[in-house]
Each structure stands twice: as structure tokens, then as C-alpha cells.
Amino acid sequence: LSLKERMEHNPYVQPTAEAYAARMRNHQALDIDLKSSDVHSLEQMRKTQAAMLFELLWDLGAYIFIGVCTGLAAFCIFQGVRYLDLLRHGPTMAWLGEDRLVAAFAWWLGLSLAYGLISACLVVFVAPEAAGSGVPEVKAYLNGTDVPRFLLLVTGLVKGVGVCFS
């Protein structure tokens, strides 16, 4: 077959931009939604109203629980960063006011290095999977890939404490 004939038989090659746009409108990620499948529709029709209400309330409770836990984690991280910042900058500013520049710089530099060292040691020795942003791991997990030690409590704690110190 010639190149032109192969291109005509290739379903991914469209002759015009309009044909390509029309093809793309027919294929969306939302078309694969579980709730639009026939199996899911039949399962929903078999449920009683009480079962559907229970499922709705269970989902709502899960959403509220996840939101509260996320807000609590963010509050703890914020307070931790605030306390560590006060610990580093409080004496530094006081010593700068007393013209003790070397002491102020040594304190600021020493605590900055200590914070970085604590954060790095936690990740290296306690939970290496806490390194990085975690976005690739979340994407992999949501796509069905088993990410070892990703959802352990120690991983979350190391990530939170490491963020505070970094």
C-alpha cells in the first residue's frame, strides 16, 4: 500500500480539521463513566430507596470526613511552620536589634541547616516514599497501580513534618 492509502485506512488520521474535531467530540473521557454503564444502571434499578439513601449518606459522610481531615492536616502544617519560623526568626531579630550580627547569622544559618537536615533524614531513613510532591503516586494509584507504602500513616506523617521543616 502507498502512504496515501495507508493514511486513508488509519482511523487516527483525518483528512480535514473539521473531521478531526467531529471525531474528537465523539470520544471523551466522560463517556467511560461508571454511572453511565448498563451494568450500573441495572444495579441501581434493583436497589430499594432505603439502600440508595444509605449509599448517598455514606458517600456524604465520606466527603465530610475527608474534608475535615484535609483541613486538620493543613491547620497542623500551618501551625508547625509558624512555630518553627518564630523559633528561627525570634532570636535572630532580637540579636540584630542588639547589633550581635554574628550570633544572629549563626543562629539563623544553624537552624536553617538543622531544619533541612531533619527533613532530609526523615525522608531518607524513615519513609523514602514521602519524597517529592506525591502527584505521580496519586495518579498511579487512581489508575489502578499498586504503589507500595503510599497510603501508610507513617508516610503521611513524614510528609507533613518534612513539609514543616523544609
Side-chain angles (χ1 to χ4, degrees):
L1 293 175
S2 69
L3 179 62
K4 183 178 179 184
E5 290 172 334
R6 280 186 285 164
M7 287 179 66
E8 289 172 356
H9 288 79
N10 187 345
Y12 298 106
V13 176
Q14 301 298 322
T16 64
E18 292 82 17
Y20 178 75
R23 185 170 187 277
M24 289 286 91
R25 279 193 296 274
N26 291 330
H27 299 285
Q28 296 179 5
L30 296 177
D31 289 342
I32 309 171
D33 189 14
L34 173 69
K35 302 210 185 258
S36 65
S37 73
D38 292 337
V39 174
H40 182 74
S41 299
L42 288 173
E43 181 186 345
Q44 290 300 103
M45 288 193 301
R46 289 187 185 119
K47 288 183 181 177
T48 64
Q49 283 191 341
M52 290 175 63
L53 179 64
F54 176 77
E55 186 177 299
L56 177 72
L57 292 175
W58 184 259
D59 287 348
L60 183 63
Y63 298 147
I64 291 171
F65 178 74
I66 290 169
V68 167
C69 288
T70 303
L72 185 62
F75 176 77
C76 290
I77 289 172
F78 178 77
Q79 292 299 327
V81 168
R82 190 170 144 242
Y83 174 75
L84 293 171
D85 189 52
L86 286 173
L87 183 64
R88 181 174 50 182
H89 288 103
T92 303
M93 297 308 280
W95 288 333
L96 282 176
E98 298 170 4
D99 287 331
R100 295 174 57 192
L101 300 178
V102 174
F105 179 71
W107 177 262
W108 186 85
L109 181 64
L111 269 183
S112 295
L113 290 173
Y115 288 173
L117 184 65
I118 290 169
S119 179
C121 286
L122 282 172
V123 170
V124 169
F125 296 117
V126 179
E129 53 280 346
S133 68
V135 173
E137 289 86 354
V138 170
K139 284 180 165 181
Y141 183 79
L142 291 176
N143 282 323
T145 305
D146 182 29
V147 182
R149 296 181 44 92
F150 172 62
L151 291 176
L152 292 180
L153 181 62
V154 69
T155 304
L157 289 174
V158 166
K159 188 169 275 295
V161 172
V163 163
C164 290
F165 278 103
S166 66

